[in-house]
């Protein structure tokens, strides 16, 4: 992963950023297609996935077409949480690229991709993913409004109504989600991470060893095995790397923001500035998402 990171940095430094972004968009389109196949197999009983030999279309009978429960997508990255973690920031990036692309065919393709990614995100049923996207969109609007207050008056009323309805629907979905066991497990991991940090304050228990240490701190009646992280980036860093890890993380955060501001000021057009703003907005969304999930594997 470190090698891949430096390869990407080298490509950007050599002016090959277009290749990187086009590759990313193609990967996003592949995720949409795989998720579409997953949804079709689930609904029509195509048997492509285990457990989809009988589809909803067979179960609900003639005269009906809406399933009783929505599909929860995960196939493209094996776990719905990881899929949401990948898709959520890409929705923001793709949407802004659709607004700023010069060629009409590029804009149309990117709009369709944005819609597809948004549908995938919704049907992962990931509350953290929806929170990530909401944070990114809010941050982007704030950055735009700070530069030009008149921009708020240019937003069509229909878009405002649609956004409000989306927020209400998302809030209703989050409130109605029955995941008490998972939420209790997360709270127990947070508590355990704090206790681990208290007992190993300087260097923590070691990188990647939170799951092993958790066995000595977790609550027995809600214990969960195979936990790779504390599902909260700061607490996970505190538990595994101690105060030293927190200090280094804070330094990296400041360096990132300074680098972003320098890059933003260097842009010569408003479209380019908007793209840079979209990048940091998407990363802010990832940061908020990382307060309830930690992505310690490839996605």
């Amino acid at each position: 992963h470190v090698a891949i990171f430096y390869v990407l940095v080298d490509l950007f430094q050599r002016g090959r950023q277009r290749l990187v972004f086009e590759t990313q968009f193609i990967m996003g389109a592949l995720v949409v297609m795989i998720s579409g196949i997953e949804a079709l197999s689930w609904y029509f009983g195509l048997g492509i996935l285990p457990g989809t030999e009988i589809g909803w279309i067979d179960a609900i009978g003639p005269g009906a077409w809406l399933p009783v429960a929505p599909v929860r997508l995960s196939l493209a990255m094996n776990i719905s949480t990881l899929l949401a973690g990948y898709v959520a920031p890409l929705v923001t990036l793709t949407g802004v690229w659709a607004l700023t692309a010069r060629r009409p065919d590029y804009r149309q393709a990117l709009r369709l991709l944005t819609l597809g990614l948004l549908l995938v995100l919704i049907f992962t049923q990931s509350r953290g993913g929806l929170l990530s996207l909401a944070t990114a969109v809010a941050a982007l609007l704030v950055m735009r409004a700070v530069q030009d207050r008149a921009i708020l008056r240019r937003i069509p009323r229909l878009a405002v109504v649609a956004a409000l309805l989306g927020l209400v629907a998302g809030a209703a979905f989050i409130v109605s989600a029955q995941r008490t066991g998972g939420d209790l497990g997360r709270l127990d991991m947070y508590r355990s991470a704090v206790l681990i940090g208290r007992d190993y304050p300087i260097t923590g228990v070691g990188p990647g060893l939170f799951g092993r240490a958790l066995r000595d701190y977790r609550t027995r009646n809600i214990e969960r095995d195979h936990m790779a992280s504390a599902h909260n980036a700061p607490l996970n860093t505190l538990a595994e790397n101690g105060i030293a890890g927190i200090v280094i993380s804070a330094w990296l955060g400041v360096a990132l923001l300074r680098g972003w501001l320098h890059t933003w000021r260097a842009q010569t057009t408003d479209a380019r500035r908007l793209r840079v703003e979209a990048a940091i907005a998407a990363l802010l969304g990832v940061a908020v998402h990382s307060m309830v999930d930690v992505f310690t594997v490839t996605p």
Side-chain angles (χ1 to χ4, degrees):
H1 291 151
V2 173
I4 291 171
F5 172 77
Y6 281 113
V7 167
L8 293 174
V9 170
D10 183 68
L11 287 171
F12 276 112
Q13 290 179 336
R14 293 172 181 268
R16 303 298 300 277
Q17 61 272 8
R18 179 170 178 170
L19 172 63
V20 175
F21 275 96
E22 288 184 347
T23 303
Q24 186 68 272
F25 293 144
I26 291 171
M27 290 173 62
L30 184 60
V31 165
V32 171
M33 288 188 284
I34 294 174
S35 299
I37 293 172
E38 179 182 11
L40 289 173
S41 182
W42 169 85
Y43 185 77
F44 290 106
L46 303 180
I48 298 174
L49 307 174
T52 61
E53 289 76 14
I54 299 176
W56 270 106
I57 193 68
D58 301 315
I60 55 185
W65 59 277
L66 283 176
V68 178
V71 63
R72 189 174 188 187
L73 299 174
S74 62
L75 177 64
M77 292 192 176
N78 195 40
I79 300 174
S80 58
T81 301
L82 301 181
L83 180 58
Y86 173 74
V87 169
L90 195 54
V91 171
T92 302
L93 288 176
T94 308
V96 169
W97 253 251
L99 291 173
T100 55
R102 293 182 179 180
R103 291 179 50 170
D105 53 341
Y106 281 12
R107 290 198 298 270
Q108 184 64 22
L110 289 168
R111 286 170 189 158
L112 292 173
L113 179 57
T114 302
L115 177 60
L117 291 168
L118 180 59
L119 290 174
V120 172
L121 175 61
I122 291 172
F123 285 106
T124 61
Q125 300 184 35
S126 168
R127 294 169 290 176
L130 294 173
L131 184 61
S132 172
L133 179 60
T135 300
V137 172
L140 193 58
L141 288 175
V142 168
M143 284 186 282
R144 289 279 96 189
V146 167
Q147 299 171 69
D148 182 8
R149 296 185 182 277
I151 194 172
L152 297 178
R153 294 194 294 269
R154 299 176 197 160
I155 300 176
R157 293 181 181 179
L158 182 62
V160 175
V161 173
L164 290 175
L165 289 175
L167 288 174
V168 171
F173 170 77
I174 291 172
V175 170
S176 63
Q178 301 296 322
R179 301 182 193 172
T180 305
D183 292 341
L184 288 176
R186 272 183 170 80
L187 291 174
D188 187 58
M189 286 186 284
Y190 299 163
R191 181 193 62 82
S192 300
V194 172
L195 294 177
I196 294 172
R198 179 199 64 186
D199 293 342
Y200 302 91
I202 306 301
T203 59
V205 295
L209 295 181
F210 171 81
R212 181 173 181 175
L214 176 65
R215 296 174 181 272
D216 296 326
Y217 290 87
R218 62 189 181 180
T219 303
R220 297 301 175 187
N221 61 340
I222 56 172
E223 59 189 37
R224 301 174 67 188
D225 291 327
H226 311 299
M227 287 292 103
S229 71
H231 286 64
N232 179 291
L235 292 180
N236 193 78
T237 300
L238 175 65
E240 292 190 347
N241 307 106
I243 297 174
I246 294 294
V247 171
I248 292 173
S249 296
W251 175 77
L252 287 171
V254 171
L256 172 65
L257 291 174
R258 289 183 62 186
W260 169 79
L261 185 60
H262 173 76
T263 303
W264 182 84
R265 288 173 174 171
Q267 304 310 307
T268 56
T269 65
D270 187 62
R272 289 181 176 274
R273 283 192 293 270
L274 180 57
R275 289 185 173 188
V276 177
E277 291 164 14
I280 198 65
L283 287 175
L284 289 173
V286 173
V288 172
H289 194 176
S290 294
M291 300 299 288
V292 293
D293 288 301
V294 177
F295 306 106
T296 55
V297 293
T298 303

